[in-house]
């Protein structure tokens, strides 16, 4: 079976890994230092066929230059590469909304997301040996696309609890500008659950990963329990 691992997740830095049935690996969002990337991967870069970067913010693309230095192709939008002065690098692979990528065991469909920067992307990943599909979407206020795939794994942002956030603003416990940015550029618990209920065929879903959770603006344990009770699948957070 295809596997998905959350290695780092959140505003302090991100890193995710997909592992195919034959052991081939795909990285997503190397947004921590290269030392942390290596440690998270147990200093093993074998079998990595590529790396996806969702957008320009450092907590998602901090180490893409290091990834390239080790001979791994990175797939991201033109805006993301431009932010790192990497448009001319030999390992740069520019993609955009609706781009289809083929990397050995993986086929990846890129799709536009709704964040506060240009060129932000989500990804639908198919693992060819098992014909399993994975949905990955982070740093987006909502998802507009309805995909015709039966996902085995969904990894989707569940950044904050809007009720909790508004209560904290009212109590003066969080800066209003930060709260406004969360409301307009990140996915709330309610939006996450609504998308899964309304637009995702869950007949084959076996794992739900809630990613990029804001430590002070959502209760991870309670939220995971709520999603498990709603969808009757294994729910993972870090």
């Amino acid at each position: 079976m295809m596997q998905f691992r959350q290695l780092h997740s959140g505003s302090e830095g991100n890193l995710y890994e997909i592992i195919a049935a034959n052991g081939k690996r795909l990285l997503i969002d190397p947004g921590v230092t290269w030392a942390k990337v290596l440690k998270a991967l147990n200093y093993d870069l074998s079998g990595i066929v590529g790396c996806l970067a969702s957008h320009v913010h450092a907590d998602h693309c901090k180490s893409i230059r290091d990834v390239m230095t080790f001979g791994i192709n990175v797939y991201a939008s033109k805006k993301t590469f431009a932010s790192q002065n990497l448009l001319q690098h030999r390992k740069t692979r520019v993609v955009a909304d609706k781009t289809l990528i083929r990397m050995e065991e993986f086929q990846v469909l890129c799709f536009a997301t709704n964040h506060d920067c240009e060129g932000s992307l989500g990804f639908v990943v198919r693992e060819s040996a098992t014909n399993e599909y994975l949905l990955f979407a982070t740093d987006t206020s909502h998802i507009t696309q309805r995909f015709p795939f039966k996902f085995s794994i969904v990894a989707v942002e569940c950044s904050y609890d809007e009720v909790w956030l508004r209560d904290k603003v009212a109590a003066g416990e969080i800066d209003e500008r930060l709260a406004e940015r969360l409301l307009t550029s990140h996915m709330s618990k309610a939006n996450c659950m609504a998308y899964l209920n309304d637009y995702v065929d869950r007949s084959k879903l076996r794992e739900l990963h809630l990613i990029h959770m804001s430590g002070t603006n959502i209760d991870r344990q309670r939220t995971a329990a709520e999603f498990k009770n709603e969808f009757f699948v294994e729910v993972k957070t870090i």
Side-chain angles (χ1 to χ4, degrees):
M1 294 190 297
M2 178 169 54
Q3 301 174 56
F4 178 83
R5 296 205 302 155
Q6 296 189 55
L7 302 172
H8 292 275
S9 187
S11 59
E12 293 184 359
N14 295 269
L15 178 65
Y16 309 94
E17 180 184 31
I18 302 173
I19 307 173
N22 69 352
K24 295 293 183 180
R25 303 151 70 194
L26 177 62
L27 302 182
I28 306 179
D29 280 3
V32 293
T33 64
W34 184 238
K36 288 183 177 179
V37 171
L38 290 175
K39 184 177 180 180
L41 298 175
N42 294 317
Y43 303 94
D44 178 13
L45 301 179
S46 62
I48 297 176
V49 300
C51 177
L52 308 170
S54 63
H55 65 286
V56 303
H57 292 150
D59 58 322
H60 294 265
C61 68
K62 183 188 295 287
S63 292
I64 60 173
R65 183 182 294 274
D66 299 286
V67 172
M68 292 172 160
T69 297
F70 278 80
I72 299 167
N73 293 335
V74 174
Y75 300 79
S77 68
K78 184 176 181 180
K79 186 71 173 181
T80 299
F81 285 122
S83 74
Q84 303 294 312
N85 297 314
L86 288 170
L87 278 173
Q88 304 306 316
H89 196 285
R90 64 187 181 88
K91 290 298 179 178
T92 289
R93 301 293 185 270
V94 175
V95 295
D97 182 34
K98 298 182 176 65
T99 299
L100 182 64
I101 311 162
R102 299 184 184 277
M103 293 176 280
E104 297 192 31
E105 295 299 306
F106 301 103
Q107 294 85 47
V108 181
L109 174 65
C110 306
F111 63 92
T113 54
N114 298 278
H115 196 37
D116 58 356
C117 64
E118 294 180 34
S120 63
L121 297 168
F123 309 104
V124 172
V125 181
R126 175 180 175 267
E127 197 268 301
S128 58
T130 60
N131 198 35
E132 287 194 306
Y133 286 86
L134 178 149
L135 172 64
F136 179 91
T138 188
D139 287 46
T140 182
S141 60
H142 60 288
I143 304 171
T144 58
Q145 297 86 347
R146 183 169 187 168
F147 300 103
F149 313 113
K150 295 181 179 181
F151 294 107
S152 297
I153 302 172
V154 170
V156 64
E157 180 177 52
C158 186
S159 179
Y160 62 94
D161 183 325
E162 185 172 345
V163 175
W164 194 344
L165 182 65
R166 291 188 183 278
D167 285 346
K168 290 179 71 175
V169 171
E173 297 175 3
I174 186 171
D175 183 79
E176 289 188 11
R177 289 173 296 178
L178 174 59
E180 182 179 2
R181 181 174 183 268
L182 285 171
L183 289 168
T184 57
S185 63
H186 287 272
M187 188 177 291
S188 69
K189 179 175 75 172
N191 280 351
C192 179
M193 187 169 284
Y195 182 75
L196 293 170
N197 266 319
D198 296 342
Y199 295 111
V200 176
D201 183 334
R202 303 187 306 279
S203 58
K204 290 190 176 180
L205 186 64
R206 56 180 171 81
E207 282 184 18
L208 173 60
H209 292 255
L210 302 179
I211 63 176
H212 211 283
M213 302 183 86
S214 178
T216 60
N217 297 310
I218 195 167
D219 185 321
R220 283 178 168 84
Q221 186 173 359
R222 185 176 71 181
T223 300
E226 289 175 2
F227 276 77
K228 184 175 182 179
N229 290 337
E230 179 75 14
F231 302 117
F232 302 105
V233 296
E234 183 176 9
V235 177
K236 296 185 177 183
T237 68
I238 61 171

